[in-house]
Amino acid sequence: MHLAFETLTAMSDGGTVVDRGLEGVVVGSTELSRVDGEAGRLTYRGFDIHDLAPNATFEEVCYLLLFGQLPNAYQLEDLRVRLAANRALPPAIVDWMRATPKDAPPMAVLRTMVSGLALFAPHVEDGVHPSNPRAAIHLIAKTPSIVAAWDRIRRGLEPIAPLPNLSTAANFLYMRSGRAPIPEAERALDTYLVLLADHSYNASTFAARVTASTRADIFGAATSAIATLEGDLHGGAPGKVMKMIREIGAPERAGAYVSELLARGERVMGMGHREYNVRDPRAQHLEAMAKVLAEASGTKWYAIARALEDAATVALAEAKPGRRIYANVEFYTAPTLYSLGLQPDEFTCMFACARMAGWTAHVLEQLRDNRLIRPRATYTGPQASPWIPLERRASGKSVATSAAAGS
Ligand code: COA
């Protein structure tokens, strides 16, 4: 815990304590999920991720998060039908993607199209969309369709219409390839979606809750969340993990690679977590899946990832003593999703498909007992600046021009 150091360095403005990064600060409550960073335990509404991963489907987890309990058979079928009925995209959204430059990053496309979905969703008179479970299901159902459609469009192929009888995971893979996936692939993706569905007040979920707390609607909150997920300190790491794995090329090169990376002052992507001081509990399930998929497809990605984790764990313990840096959820996401045929720049989109369940559930929870989230900052600028008329200001180059020129 480095709170004491952060706190010490952040005392200012008359002794006000500033917690940079809100590390360890409790800003709200939730019934949705609990992260125990010391024990390495994650639960959704009390259900341990180690029970959910091998047993639950993504649809059951969606129901659990949105409606507060595990569904019975009737409730599950009802949700399944409603998700399937909401998967098709408005034709204008598909046309918009067709008109988008093919080299546009998938996360930028996803963020834009999820925002665009609001234009075609029913709204009340003042233009606000009701934030309710119906809207949540709408977003959970359509997010994978956007990711699958963009995959095909950027490859110069026609998007494929969803199939109502398939699970979320199977339908996503079908919408990319036009073939129903093998059971192992469906199961792996389904488990991935279960594992990534919620994680308490992580940065993107917090962004969604902040947006919702202003009474902006659920589409705006989802768009904020996707934008926040994108960075590599949060959901943007797995593509870079895959880059490392590919650059390493063979398990025996992992040690030297990590040494060189740390010597350059870079971070090992997929390692470390703000909350977990032990290995991320989701990593063991993702690792098992990556291993199975690598064996089935005869690829070397799992073996390299395993060697990389071992090398990075040892090297980081030496380089950052006392920091307790271990594999996080993103680490084995990379070989798992790559083995399922996704490209590295799509990995974070897949994360968004799973987390849309958590984001929307958090938005609904926020609105049940809403209070505007509006923290304070200490002011560190000049105390009183007298007005300077334009003709008396110092001459010089435009700051904007200098900045653009890199000077
Ligand atoms: N590789 C190298 N050093 C790392 C590291 C990593 N993956 N993760 C943390 N550290 C080091 C930092 O450099 C820092 O060292 P310093 O004190 O000498 O400056 C120290 O550990 C603390 O890091 P900090 O960034 O303050 O901790 P945090 O709680 O904010 O870190 C992460 C959490 C996830 C941002 C961080 O571990 C990280 O950047 N990981 C790599 C990116 C990643 O996997 N993102 C996905 C997260 S799920």
Side-chain angles (χ1 to χ4, degrees), residues 2 5-6 20-21 23 199 231-238 240-241 261-262 265-277 280 282 312 316 319-321 323-331 351:
H2 10 291
F5 172 76
E6 289 287 342
R20 287 174 62 245
E23 186 169 352
H199 207 242
D232 64 16
L233 300 188
H234 187 9
K240 295 181 179 177
V241 174
L261 191 112
L262 292 179
E266 293 176 25
R267 294 190 175 204
V268 187
M269 290 291 136
M271 299 291 294
H273 200 279
R274 175 63 70 80
E275 289 297 310
Y276 293 117
N277 287 320
D280 190 318
R282 298 164 292 182
L316 285 166
K320 307 284 173 186
R323 286 296 192 192
R324 298 202 279 171
I325 302 169
Y326 302 102
N328 62 46
V329 68
E330 313 277 35
F331 194 87
F351 190 155

Side-chain angles (χ1 to χ4, degrees), residues 208-277:
R209 291 190 77 128
V210 170
T211 306
S213 84
T214 71
R215 296 201 209 159
D217 70 23
I218 196 165
F219 288 89
T223 308
S224 291
I226 295 174
T228 309
L229 182 70
E230 186 181 345
D232 64 16
L233 300 188
H234 187 9
K240 295 181 179 177
V241 174
M242 200 60 226
K243 182 169 176 282
M244 292 190 306
I245 293 173
R246 286 160 75 178
E247 283 171 357
I248 291 169
E252 58 277 15
R253 293 201 57 243
Y257 183 93
V258 170
S259 303
E260 288 161 23
L261 191 112
L262 292 179
R264 291 196 301 271
E266 293 176 25
R267 294 190 175 204
V268 187
M269 290 291 136
M271 299 291 294
H273 200 279
R274 175 63 70 80
E275 289 297 310
Y276 293 117
N277 287 320

